[in-house]
Amino acid sequence: MRRTSGWRQGSLAVILTLPFLLSACGGGDGAIDAPPSDIEARMMAEVEGGSGSPGTSLTGQEDAQMDANMTVYLRDRNGYLAPISYQWDASDAKGLAQVSLELLVKQGLHSAKLPAGFEAVLPQGTGVTNVTLKPDQKLAIVELSKEFANYEPAEERQMVEAITWTLTSQPDVENVQLWMDSHKLNEMPKNGTPLDIPLNRQFGINVEKSNSVNYLRSMPLTLYFSSYSEEGKSYFVPVTRLVEPSDNPIAATLEQIIAGPLNPKTLERVASDETTVSAIAQEGDTLTVDLADTMFEAGEPVPAELLKAVVLSLTEREGIAKVRIKMNGNADIQGTDKKNYSEPVARPVINPAWKG
């Protein structure tokens, strides 16, 4: 999939700031709030093997983590789109693309396989009449039935986000084109979201900004934070945050991860107040990040939620396929998930949920 390569003023800012978007994300507009007071206690409990954070995935199944072959974006109980990964019994890319879109339809063919607390976003009755994949163009052409137009205007952008991010989770898809009732869509039916050029991840997801940032003079960064289901199981949520432009977007990404979510009532912080960035180095498609935090002594495991959030956020960027993490200059880093982050780590499977 194509990762975000940087920031563009003007047209990209307009696309990212189409109406209703912040309200759909659970009240994202506002200054960065102070972190929850118990963040360090929870992280230390996790490091010591305690139960400070309930669960690490929606299933806890290691085989699902290994074999997931499809990711869909569903709405959680806080109104965010979150990636849910499936191990589906289909081997061809076209079949997986078709099923992934069908999972997005409310009360659709596969609604029984949505995790508790998550819901589809496309109008009930929407039919996925055809999906055409053009690997040479990295393009997916999606043909939907006329029922696709039966939605409330406030849902429009989230529908587009869900389709775009679901399909671009497939290895050979970077762009998406939408058709409805045998006609190419140049704009969405209700609010007129532009569709005249193919959609890609630069469209953003769960877009947010602080009050101090100007929409038209901003840089988008995709960040991952934790949230918890009603059953107390953790999962990751991506947000596209508009920030002040920077000539070092990688450092800016890490700074924003450390700053934490804009709305701490719905998303969890993954780093502590003491976390800082000591050094960043890139060699080829591998990025090495040296973090510093006085909470951690040499040899202690580091919370997997912090390490995975860093890997997920940085591998959204174009040209970064793997991340190696150091802590306080120590190159021997183990996560609480028993994974070795001293070696370059590729993007992990996100929120494994189901064998289909």
Side-chain angles (χ1 to χ4, degrees):
M1 75 186 71
R2 176 169 297 177
R3 307 297 181 192
T4 304
S5 60
W7 62 277
R8 299 177 182 176
Q9 295 184 3
S11 60
L12 178 56
V14 171
I15 290 173
L16 286 166
T17 57
L18 291 169
F20 93 91
L21 154 81
L22 297 175
S23 61
C25 296
D29 193 276
I32 295 176
D33 295 86
S37 60
D38 64 343
I39 180 69
E40 293 192 12
R42 273 197 302 106
M43 292 178 70
M44 289 304 297
E46 187 176 343
V47 168
E48 293 166 4
S51 58
S53 295
T56 55
S57 74
L58 295 181
T59 65
Q61 297 177 357
E62 291 303 318
D63 53 352
Q65 295 250 18
M66 295 285 288
D67 301 328
N69 59 359
M70 181 177 69
T71 302
V72 301
Y73 285 75
L74 303 172
R75 184 162 53 216
D76 72 4
R77 62 192 179 114
N78 297 312
Y80 290 97
L81 289 177
I84 305 296
S85 296
Y86 289 80
Q87 182 186 339
W88 206 269
D89 187 17
S91 57
D92 65 299
K94 178 181 174 70
L96 288 172
Q98 177 94 17
V99 170
S100 68
L101 292 171
E102 290 171 350
L103 279 161
L104 298 182
V105 178
K106 297 175 182 178
Q107 301 182 32
L109 296 173
H110 312 294
S111 59
K113 296 188 176 182
L114 271 58
F118 292 82
E119 62 182 3
V121 297
L122 300 187
Q124 182 178 351
T126 299
V128 183
T129 56
N130 191 35
V131 179
T132 301
L133 300 180
K134 297 188 174 183
D136 58 325
Q137 301 179 39
K138 300 289 187 181
L139 176 67
I141 302 173
V142 179
E143 299 183 45
L144 303 168
S145 67
K146 62 182 180 180
E147 287 80 8
F148 179 63
N150 298 334
Y151 61 88
E152 295 297 323
E155 298 180 316
E156 182 171 287
R157 182 179 173 99
Q158 196 168 62
M159 289 165 52
V160 177
E161 290 179 6
I163 293 171
T164 301
W165 282 68
T166 292
L167 287 174
T168 55
S169 296
Q170 294 294 318
D172 292 325
V173 178
E174 294 180 357
N175 300 289
V176 178
Q177 186 182 99
L178 297 183
W179 288 57
M180 185 182 72
D181 198 23
S182 302
H183 295 87
K184 182 182 179 297
L185 290 176
N186 289 317
E187 62 180 25
M188 284 291 283
K190 297 293 178 72
N191 276 345
T193 300
L195 302 175
D196 51 331
I197 59 174
L199 296 158
N200 55 48
R201 290 202 168 194
Q202 288 188 347
F203 190 77
I205 186 167
N206 298 323
V207 181
E208 63 180 20
K209 78 174 190 71
S210 66
N211 288 330
S212 62
V213 174
N214 186 315
Y215 278 121
L216 297 180
R217 189 182 179 277
S218 63
M219 174 177 73
L221 302 174
T222 298
L223 316 170
Y224 283 78
F225 296 108
S226 294
S227 189
Y228 288 91
S229 68
E230 291 183 352
E231 291 77 21
K233 294 184 178 180
S234 68
Y235 59 94
F236 285 102
V237 175
V239 298
T240 298
R241 181 174 297 174
L242 304 180
V243 301
E244 294 292 338
S246 168
D247 58 4
N248 191 340
I250 293 173
T253 297
L254 291 168
E255 290 166 2
Q256 292 299 319
I257 293 172
I258 294 169
L262 295 186
N263 189 348
K265 294 180 180 179
T266 54
L267 296 178
E268 297 283 334
R269 200 173 175 192
V270 296
S272 78
D273 281 335
E274 304 300 320
T275 308
T276 58
V277 180
S278 298
I280 302 170
Q282 185 168 358
E283 184 175 350
D285 63 359
T286 299
L287 190 72
T288 299
V289 176
D290 191 352
L291 301 176
D293 195 319
T294 56
M295 287 175 57
F296 305 110
E297 296 182 2
E300 286 185 338
V302 178
E305 287 189 349
L306 167 60
L307 299 173
K308 287 182 178 180
V310 169
V311 174
L312 287 168
S313 300
L314 292 176
T315 54
E316 283 290 348
R317 303 206 62 80
E318 185 175 9
I320 300 175
K322 297 181 179 180
V323 179
R324 178 191 292 114
I325 301 176
K326 298 180 181 180
M327 181 64 75
N328 299 323
N330 180 16
D332 184 15
I333 298 299
Q334 297 287 327
T336 51
D337 57 355
K338 312 297 184 183
K339 192 165 189 175
N340 181 10
Y341 288 83
S342 305
E343 299 298 324
V345 175
R347 186 176 182 83
V349 171
I350 315 175
N351 307 334
W354 196 279
K355 290 184 177 182

